[in-house]
mmCIF file of all heavy atoms in Angstrom:
data_model
loop_
_atom_site.group_PDB
_atom_site.id
_atom_site.type_symbol
_atom_site.label_atom_id
_atom_site.label_comp_id
_atom_site.label_asym_id
_atom_site.label_seq_id
_atom_site.Cartn_x
_atom_site.Cartn_y
_atom_site.Cartn_z
ATOM 1 N N ALA A 1128 45.458 127.485 83.192
ATOM 2 C CA ALA A 1128 45.386 126.261 84.008
ATOM 3 C C ALA A 1128 46.764 125.792 84.419
ATOM 4 O O ALA A 1128 46.993 125.397 85.548
ATOM 5 C CB ALA A 1128 44.678 125.172 83.227
ATOM 6 N N THR A 1129 47.704 125.863 83.487
ATOM 7 C CA THR A 1129 49.073 125.474 83.829
ATOM 8 C C THR A 1129 49.939 126.727 83.831
ATOM 9 O O THR A 1129 50.246 127.277 82.785
ATOM 10 C CB THR A 1129 49.645 124.464 82.822
ATOM 11 O OG1 THR A 1129 49.258 124.899 81.521
ATOM 12 C CG2 THR A 1129 49.116 123.077 83.077
ATOM 13 N N PRO A 1130 50.313 127.180 85.011
ATOM 14 C CA PRO A 1130 51.026 128.451 85.109
ATOM 15 C C PRO A 1130 52.337 128.451 84.336
ATOM 16 O O PRO A 1130 52.783 129.500 83.902
ATOM 17 C CB PRO A 1130 51.300 128.577 86.614
ATOM 18 C CG PRO A 1130 50.327 127.653 87.253
ATOM 19 C CD PRO A 1130 50.080 126.553 86.284
ATOM 20 N N SER A 1131 52.892 127.334 84.137
ATOM 21 C CA SER A 1131 54.185 127.306 83.452
ATOM 22 C C SER A 1131 54.043 127.808 82.008
ATOM 23 O O SER A 1131 55.003 128.313 81.447
ATOM 24 C CB SER A 1131 54.756 125.889 83.452
ATOM 25 O OG SER A 1131 53.809 125.004 82.878
ATOM 26 N N SER A 1132 52.862 127.680 81.479
ATOM 27 C CA SER A 1132 52.689 128.109 80.090
ATOM 28 C C SER A 1132 52.157 129.543 79.995
ATOM 29 O O SER A 1132 51.911 130.054 78.923
ATOM 30 C CB SER A 1132 51.724 127.162 79.364
ATOM 31 O OG SER A 1132 50.460 127.255 79.987
ATOM 32 N N ALA A 1133 51.981 130.167 81.157
ATOM 33 C CA ALA A 1133 51.452 131.536 81.135
ATOM 34 C C ALA A 1133 52.434 132.471 80.451
ATOM 35 O O ALA A 1133 53.647 132.364 80.652
ATOM 36 C CB ALA A 1133 51.197 132.019 82.562
ATOM 37 N N SER A 1134 51.913 133.397 79.684
ATOM 38 C CA SER A 1134 52.806 134.317 78.976
ATOM 39 C C SER A 1134 53.279 135.393 79.929
ATOM 40 O O SER A 1134 52.589 135.763 80.883
ATOM 41 C CB SER A 1134 52.071 134.970 77.813
ATOM 42 O OG SER A 1134 51.105 135.864 78.318
ATOM 43 N N GLY A 1135 54.448 135.895 79.639
ATOM 44 C CA GLY A 1135 55.013 136.955 80.467
ATOM 45 C C GLY A 1135 54.112 138.173 80.476
ATOM 46 O O GLY A 1135 53.916 138.802 81.516
ATOM 47 N N ALA A 1136 53.531 138.462 79.383
ATOM 48 C CA ALA A 1136 52.685 139.641 79.287
ATOM 49 C C ALA A 1136 51.515 139.554 80.246
ATOM 50 O O ALA A 1136 51.183 140.513 80.940
ATOM 51 C CB ALA A 1136 52.191 139.793 77.857
ATOM 52 N N ALA A 1137 50.916 138.375 80.281
ATOM 53 C CA ALA A 1137 49.753 138.193 81.145
ATOM 54 C C ALA A 1137 50.137 138.420 82.600
ATOM 55 O O ALA A 1137 49.408 139.046 83.357
ATOM 56 C CB ALA A 1137 49.190 136.792 80.967
ATOM 57 N N ARG A 1138 51.325 137.939 82.983
ATOM 58 C CA ARG A 1138 51.748 138.085 84.377
ATOM 59 C C ARG A 1138 51.967 139.537 84.724
ATOM 60 O O ARG A 1138 51.572 139.989 85.780
ATOM 61 C CB ARG A 1138 53.047 137.339 84.604
ATOM 62 C CG ARG A 1138 52.852 135.868 84.666
ATOM 63 C CD ARG A 1138 54.068 135.289 85.333
ATOM 64 N NE ARG A 1138 54.193 133.897 84.968
ATOM 65 C CZ ARG A 1138 55.221 133.151 85.369
ATOM 66 N NH1 ARG A 1138 56.170 133.693 86.076
ATOM 67 N NH2 ARG A 1138 55.274 131.902 85.034
ATOM 68 N N ILE A 1139 52.621 140.236 83.839
ATOM 69 C CA ILE A 1139 52.881 141.649 84.119
ATOM 70 C C ILE A 1139 51.561 142.391 84.259
ATOM 71 O O ILE A 1139 51.369 143.172 85.190
ATOM 72 C CB ILE A 1139 53.734 142.276 82.995
ATOM 73 C CG1 ILE A 1139 55.153 141.706 83.086
ATOM 74 C CG2 ILE A 1139 53.762 143.783 83.104
ATOM 75 C CD1 ILE A 1139 55.990 142.006 81.895
ATOM 76 N N HIS A 1140 50.662 142.049 83.388
ATOM 77 C CA HIS A 1140 49.352 142.662 83.456
ATOM 78 C C HIS A 1140 48.731 142.412 84.825
ATOM 79 O O HIS A 1140 48.229 143.305 85.472
ATOM 80 C CB HIS A 1140 48.467 142.086 82.338
ATOM 81 C CG HIS A 1140 47.019 142.437 82.475
ATOM 82 N ND1 HIS A 1140 46.558 143.709 82.202
ATOM 83 C CD2 HIS A 1140 45.965 141.716 82.891
ATOM 84 C CE1 HIS A 1140 45.263 143.745 82.436
ATOM 85 N NE2 HIS A 1140 44.868 142.541 82.849
ATOM 86 N N LEU A 1141 48.869 141.197 85.238
ATOM 87 C CA LEU A 1141 48.285 140.780 86.517
ATOM 88 C C LEU A 1141 48.875 141.578 87.667
ATOM 89 O O LEU A 1141 48.185 142.100 88.520
ATOM 90 C CB LEU A 1141 48.602 139.293 86.706
ATOM 91 C CG LEU A 1141 47.773 138.503 87.682
ATOM 92 C CD1 LEU A 1141 46.338 138.445 87.193
ATOM 93 C CD2 LEU A 1141 48.358 137.112 87.822
ATOM 94 N N VAL A 1142 50.180 141.698 87.650
ATOM 95 C CA VAL A 1142 50.871 142.407 88.722
ATOM 96 C C VAL A 1142 50.427 143.859 88.751
ATOM 97 O O VAL A 1142 50.089 144.396 89.806
ATOM 98 C CB VAL A 1142 52.400 142.305 88.516
ATOM 99 C CG1 VAL A 1142 53.116 143.294 89.412
ATOM 100 C CG2 VAL A 1142 52.851 140.887 88.775
ATOM 101 N N GLN A 1143 50.395 144.460 87.586
ATOM 102 C CA GLN A 1143 50.002 145.871 87.543
ATOM 103 C C GLN A 1143 48.573 146.046 88.022
ATOM 104 O O GLN A 1143 48.261 146.952 88.769
ATOM 105 C CB GLN A 1143 50.144 146.405 86.118
ATOM 106 C CG GLN A 1143 51.595 146.674 85.767
ATOM 107 C CD GLN A 1143 51.777 146.932 84.292
ATOM 108 O OE1 GLN A 1143 50.884 146.590 83.497
ATOM 109 N NE2 GLN A 1143 52.900 147.497 83.933
ATOM 110 N N ASN A 1144 47.768 145.126 87.595
ATOM 111 C CA ASN A 1144 46.357 145.177 87.962
ATOM 112 C C ASN A 1144 46.168 145.166 89.469
ATOM 113 O O ASN A 1144 45.518 146.030 90.042
ATOM 114 C CB ASN A 1144 45.670 143.945 87.353
ATOM 115 C CG ASN A 1144 44.172 144.183 87.244
ATOM 116 O OD1 ASN A 1144 43.735 145.284 87.509
ATOM 117 N ND2 ASN A 1144 43.442 143.166 86.871
ATOM 118 N N THR A 1145 46.816 144.204 90.100
ATOM 119 C CA THR A 1145 46.640 144.084 91.549
ATOM 120 C C THR A 1145 47.312 145.230 92.266
ATOM 121 O O THR A 1145 46.831 145.716 93.264
ATOM 122 C CB THR A 1145 47.218 142.756 92.061
ATOM 123 O OG1 THR A 1145 48.522 142.611 91.519
ATOM 124 C CG2 THR A 1145 46.353 141.600 91.634
#
Side-chain angles (χ1 to χ4, degrees):
Chain A
T1129 42
S1131 55
S1132 63
S1134 70
R1138 285 199 202 177
I1139 289 168
H1140 168 74
L1141 199 65
V1142 167
Q1143 283 169 342
N1144 201 7
T1145 49

